[in-house]
Amino acid sequence: MGPSSSGPGRPLAEINVTPMVDVMLVLLIIFMVTAPLIQQGVQVKLPQASAASLDVQNDPLVVTLTRERKLFFGEVELPLAQLRDRVLGNLKLREDKQVVLHADRDLAYGVVMDVIAALKEAGVDGVGLVTDPLAPRTP
């Protein structure tokens, strides 16, 4: 008998990868479902507008202003006084000089303008205001 024959008393030399593939497919499905949920960030009610969408780079820096006037740089909460320093220290903003602002629709105009002014002082060239699309009107 050759070395590849498996008779009685010899261990089976083949590896069954089917259970491993099944587990990996389940993990892939779990990650595909949970990845968009992780990227949601801070929840705010955005105002509605019928404007065309802007061309934004792949992964813009997001500043969020909630209804309770809490300010988030990405997902990190910070006071308005620290926003300018945080933006100046961000390497990505030194290259892109663009920020996307999510501001709750129930905020006063002056509060949103304070955040935009702080971003402009820090050298941000473009501030994109994010809105929800308007529902189509039925005639």
Side-chain angles (χ1 to χ4, degrees):
M1 287 193 175
S4 64
S5 65
S6 58
R10 289 194 173 227
L12 183 62
E14 297 175 7
I15 297 174
N16 188 2
V17 296
T18 305
M20 183 184 70
V21 171
D22 290 343
V23 170
M24 294 305 290
L25 287 174
V26 169
L27 288 175
L28 177 67
I29 291 171
I30 290 172
F31 285 124
M32 287 173 55
V33 169
T34 57
L37 299 175
I38 293 171
Q39 295 177 355
Q40 289 296 322
V42 182
Q43 293 292 330
V44 291
K45 287 194 309 186
L46 296 172
Q48 293 183 335
S50 61
S53 62
L54 297 174
D55 292 332
V56 181
Q57 66 268 18
N58 294 341
D59 191 18
L61 286 170
V62 178
V63 174
T64 306
L65 191 57
T66 66
R67 181 180 201 166
E68 296 81 22
R69 296 184 181 185
K70 291 182 181 180
L71 184 67
F72 292 87
F73 184 75
E75 294 195 16
V76 179
E77 183 178 358
L78 63 131
L80 180 61
Q82 293 180 4
L83 179 64
R84 181 179 179 274
D85 295 332
R86 180 65 66 102
V87 169
L88 285 172
N90 191 300
L91 293 175
K92 183 174 174 72
L93 273 179
R94 289 183 190 169
E95 298 169 5
D96 297 340
K97 299 206 181 263
Q98 291 187 350
V99 172
V100 174
L101 177 61
H102 291 193
D104 195 280
R105 67 178 174 195
D106 296 329
L107 286 171
Y109 181 73
V111 176
V112 177
M113 288 310 299
D114 290 341
V115 173
I116 292 174
L119 290 170
K120 292 290 185 179
E121 285 178 17
V124 174
D125 289 338
V127 178
L129 299 174
V130 179
T131 60
D132 281 334
L134 274 175
R137 295 182 185 173
T138 55

